Amino acid sequence: FEFIAAQTGGSVTLTGVEEPVQLRGMRVSADYFNVFGVSAELGRTFAPGEDQLGHENVAVISHAFWQSQFGGERSIIGRTLLLDGKPCTVVGVLPKSSAFNRGWPQIWRPLAFTPENRTRNFHWFGAVAKLKPGVTLEQARANLDSIGARIAQDFPDSNKGWGVAVDPLAEMIVGQDLKRSLYVLLSAVGMVLLIGCANLANLMLARGAARDREVSIRAALGAGRARLVRQFLTESVLLSVVGGLLGLGVGYLTMVGLKAVLPTYTLPSEANVTMDARVLLFALALGVLTGLVCGLVPALQATRPDLTTGMKQGGGASGGSVRHRMRTVLVVVEVALAFILLTGTGLLLRSFSHLQTVDPGFDATNVLTAQIPIPQQRFTEPAALHAYLRQVRDAVAALPGVTDVAFTSALPLRGWGYGMPFQRADQPTVDRANRKACFFKMVSPGYFDSLKIRLLRGRAITERDVKGSPPVTVINETMRKKYFGDDDPIGKRILVQEISFGKTELGPEIPWEVVGVVADEKVGSLSAKDDSPGMYVTLEQSPQPYLSLIVRSASDPATLHQPLRAAVKRINPDQSLPEMKTLEQIKTESLGGTRLSTILLSVFAGIALLLAAIGIYGVISYSVVQRTREIGIRGALGATAADILRLILRHGMTTVVLGLLIGTAGVFALTRLMSALLFGVGERDPLTIAGVAVLLGSIALAACYLPARRATRVNPIVALREE
């Protein structure tokens, strides 16, 4: 590697200002910005050696934070900030154009390893690196595999069976779920484009047929076929490009609207979603290409050198059987694509509906949450931390309307927090480095009451479970089913290493006695197919300062924002309460990615349905015009209006049914791609497929009926006279 750098979380509280501000931060090695090739806009990034103890009190800030907090003052370089009560000098501001300006962190500080950090068995940071020129990813993996094997051999307690994963940064930023969602949306865009192309090609075929006489006259006067084709292609490209420009305007407004309403972090912070020159050039190229592709065959058809026939026919003469078949094929394609897209949308809508009714295992009504960041170095002893938390709890509980108050190391739907290897004490010993893991939550005794999580057996954690008393745990139902089966877990012990207070280190194993079982709460995503196994222990017996506050109110929790801040401020003026949100807001945000995919796919499906209906209507209408003489003859020979209506509808609906049959095969291909995005509904759900078929068939029937009804009003004498 040319550069390699460690990275870990490093959020801090900015004090010494009117209101304490919690800053989203990271702690990184000195070479961190060199890995990404980013230089400072003002000042500098970290110098070599600034990630060593005694030299680490410097910071680099993002351009956005510089503007919002300091008004863009250039004197910020060299200014000292109080971060968690300690002075820190700002040495650099990152450029506005860098991805770091859009990212999660606002401030970066050097990662200097204290004696408490120089431990082996606590996995708490990751690393980024830049390959040297000419070195492949496979070579880097092979190199680190040998290093990982040596570490595993030297430190088996923490690393036996562990290796080093080396992955491209892009794959880490864009995970499999997001990548799959984007491919589905890209497929939807492609289908809408193809439907639009089919409509454009149909339009050009109809225009070409209507201009047979004009083309024949031009050819007779000496116009070459190449010149005639060029004229038709110019018209097609112009039409396509104008439509593309209109689409760009709509797309820009849609982009701005979505960015305004999407929950934070729905997309990776590194993703710069904007319309730049590349997007404009792509749209222009796509418009020209679409015009050429859609106009070429109609242009060749319209400029066939059959002068005699063309001069004899009028402007509305029949375009011939070849054109008729081509228009029919294009409508079949439109219906098939629309059917595929509508089915995918229907599946996502049903999935989203199921997600909204999922039982999360807790009651989110009238629950307010907030982070309560406490600097690691503020309390050197757990007893002082517990005393502080009791003060905060009592102050918040005294607020009018508050019914329950609790602390937790991880809020519902916000991930595991701590993932700890464990094993049952009554089973054969397994290497600690290779044990199964479960989520490990530190909570206060009021946690289950605050969230109304059901106790299934045994008892909950109580105020009596303190340091010095037997260590106890409450497990969730998934943990019981997966690792205890038919055994009664109450009274059994689970071995988990102690998380050392104030250190990045695991201590001796603690035999946690199971005293209760509670219903599963969703700790990750609502869309998770399986619940996670987990343990709850009391903060008194496993103290940690990285906590969140949970407050249940008897009324609207939004009214508690200011009283809650004021109550905590009276205890500690420097205590910030960032990310204050209701639990309902957290539930809504957890569905942000699914909601985005569903909304966009629904929009595309709606456009596809409209375009398909227009295409069907246009082809049937044109067919009626072309068959005016035939309809007149049928009427003169005694055909009734109902006979003519059935004739036109049969022709149109045969085309639609054929499109549905072909589209069914495409449905299975798309839904296989979407299977991982669905929840509570199968990828080949017959109810959805049948419902979409009925919907599309009904729309198509309406599109066929209008021109068919017009055909029944054709006066046979007038039709024959026109011919």
Side-chain angles (χ1 to χ4, degrees), residues 151-213:
I151 295 174
Q153 182 178 357
D154 293 344
F155 303 95
D157 186 58
S158 60
N159 283 72
K160 184 178 180 180
W162 288 63
V164 183
V166 183
D167 299 299
L169 182 64
E171 291 185 7
M172 304 303 294
I173 293 173
V174 183
Q176 286 300 317
D177 286 346
L178 178 58
K179 186 181 293 186
R180 192 177 292 108
S181 297
L182 293 177
Y183 277 130
V184 169
L185 293 175
L186 182 62
S187 301
V189 171
M191 291 179 200
V192 173
L193 176 62
L194 288 174
I195 293 172
C197 288
N199 271 354
L200 181 58
N202 257 329
L203 173 63
M204 298 308 294
L205 281 169
R207 282 172 57 84
R211 296 168 67 181
D212 274 351
R213 184 180 179 86

Side-chain angles (χ1 to χ4, degrees), residues 628-649:
T628 300
R629 184 168 183 266
E630 175 195 339
I631 293 170
I633 293 173
R634 287 177 180 271
L637 294 176
T640 64
D643 293 331
I644 295 172
L645 186 66
R646 280 195 299 271
L647 174 70
I648 303 301
L649 288 179

Side-chain angles (χ1 to χ4, degrees), residues 93-235:
V93 177
L94 297 180
K96 182 179 181 180
S97 58
S98 79
F100 292 109
N101 193 50
R102 301 181 294 274
W104 182 83
Q106 298 168 297
I107 188 167
W108 292 261
R109 295 174 297 149
L111 175 55
F113 291 96
T114 64
E116 293 79 15
N117 297 142
R118 296 183 182 277
T119 57
R120 172 63 59 180
N121 63 358
F122 197 83
H123 304 128
W124 60 284
F125 65 85
V128 290
K130 182 178 181 180
L131 290 172
K132 286 181 178 178
V135 176
T136 66
L137 192 63
E138 289 69 26
Q139 289 174 315
R141 283 175 174 155
N143 188 296
L144 286 183
D145 280 345
S146 62
I147 295 175
R150 188 167 66 247
I151 295 174
Q153 182 178 357
D154 293 344
F155 303 95
D157 186 58
S158 60
N159 283 72
K160 184 178 180 180
W162 288 63
V164 183
V166 183
D167 299 299
L169 182 64
E171 291 185 7
M172 304 303 294
I173 293 173
V174 183
Q176 286 300 317
D177 286 346
L178 178 58
K179 186 181 293 186
R180 192 177 292 108
S181 297
L182 293 177
Y183 277 130
V184 169
L185 293 175
L186 182 62
S187 301
V189 171
M191 291 179 200
V192 173
L193 176 62
L194 288 174
I195 293 172
C197 288
N199 271 354
L200 181 58
N202 257 329
L203 173 63
M204 298 308 294
L205 281 169
R207 282 172 57 84
R211 296 168 67 181
D212 274 351
R213 184 180 179 86
E214 172 198 338
V215 170
S216 298
I217 293 173
R218 287 176 178 272
L221 294 175
R225 194 179 190 197
R227 184 172 181 177
L228 293 172
V229 169
R230 189 163 60 246
Q231 177 189 343
F232 274 81
L233 287 180
T234 301
E235 294 173 1

Side-chain angles (χ1 to χ4, degrees), residues 478-616:
T478 294
M479 184 82 161
R480 183 198 68 78
K481 290 179 180 178
K482 195 167 184 179
Y483 297 106
F484 288 90
D486 296 331
D487 295 344
D488 184 0
I490 304 300
K492 296 287 195 302
R493 285 175 169 78
I494 302 175
L495 299 178
V496 177
Q497 285 182 275
E498 176 189 27
I499 302 175
S500 302
F501 182 76
K503 297 181 180 180
T504 52
E505 181 182 39
L506 296 180
E509 285 187 335
I510 296 177
W512 298 93
E513 181 183 350
V514 179
V515 297
V517 179
V518 294
D520 292 327
E521 66 162 304
K522 291 287 186 181
V523 295
S525 168
L526 283 172
S527 60
K529 300 293 193 297
D530 300 311
D531 290 312
S532 302
M535 302 171 56
Y536 302 86
V537 301
T538 174
L539 278 164
E540 289 276 351
Q541 295 181 337
S542 184
Q544 287 300 321
Y546 306 110
L547 301 172
S548 294
L549 181 65
I550 296 176
V551 181
R552 177 173 288 279
S553 170
S555 57
D556 184 3
T559 60
L560 285 176
H561 282 234
Q562 289 307 318
L564 180 59
R565 292 187 189 279
V568 174
K569 191 172 183 178
R570 285 193 293 270
I571 297 170
N572 178 12
D574 289 335
Q575 180 65 66
S576 63
L577 291 173
E579 295 288 318
M580 192 176 289
K581 296 177 180 179
T582 66
L583 204 47
E584 289 288 357
Q585 286 177 295
I586 293 176
K587 281 180 63 179
T588 301
E589 289 178 2
S590 73
L591 295 173
T594 305
R595 178 179 285 106
L596 174 63
S597 299
T598 304
I599 290 174
L600 289 179
L601 204 58
S602 298
V603 170
F604 296 147
I607 296 172
L609 183 60
L610 177 63
L611 289 176
I614 291 173
I616 295 168

